[in-house]
Amino acid sequence: QEEIQEVKTEGNLELLFNSLDKIVEEAKDQEEPAWRPSGIPEEDIQSSLIPYLLKHRAFLRKFLKEKEEENRKIAGMVLAGRERIAELQELIRARRNSWQ
């Protein structure tokens, strides 16, 4: 009894068993079967990695699209600023010429 109690306290088994019970309870509501390895590592990696990579690619494409739109807006603002600078330079030249 002492040894069993010592193993339970050292390994923190009560907490582990409680978490295992919780996982079992949560799994009862699932309708689809749990994932099991097929025995072929390449297929297992592909089956779990490809959906993640596709999701990440979609996120990156969306992010790229947002940044391209932001860059278009900024480029428009830069062009408007350059036009304003050119107008001001022309106004300065005209006033300088009229002053001289």
Side-chain angles (χ1 to χ4, degrees):
Q1 284 288 357
E2 277 183 34
E3 288 179 11
I4 291 173
Q5 189 61 34
E6 190 176 316
V7 168
K8 282 172 62 177
T9 54
E10 282 182 16
N12 203 9
L13 294 182
E14 286 186 42
L15 179 66
L16 294 175
F17 284 136
N18 289 338
S19 66
L20 182 61
D21 289 339
K22 185 178 177 183
I23 291 170
V24 168
E25 286 297 319
E26 290 173 358
K28 286 181 182 178
D29 297 334
Q30 287 184 333
E31 294 179 7
E32 60 185 51
W35 179 84
R36 299 282 187 264
S38 67
I40 304 170
E42 294 84 10
E43 288 180 9
D44 293 340
I45 289 174
Q46 287 177 356
S47 69
S48 62
L49 195 58
I50 288 177
Y52 167 77
L53 292 175
L54 291 174
K55 184 178 176 183
H56 191 63
R57 181 174 70 177
F59 168 78
L60 289 175
R61 284 184 175 168
K62 180 182 174 191
F63 185 76
L64 177 63
K65 200 175 203 181
E66 290 172 359
K67 289 300 174 184
E68 286 174 342
E69 181 62 31
E70 185 179 325
N71 286 344
R72 268 190 229 102
K73 288 178 184 177
I74 291 172
M77 291 173 18
V78 167
L79 290 176
R82 287 179 181 172
E83 289 174 5
R84 179 72 179 139
I85 289 171
E87 290 172 5
L88 290 174
Q89 286 176 337
E90 188 60 37
L91 182 64
I92 290 170
R93 272 191 226 116
R95 287 190 180 175
R96 187 180 61 203
N97 288 341
S98 68
W99 181 73
Q100 288 179 353

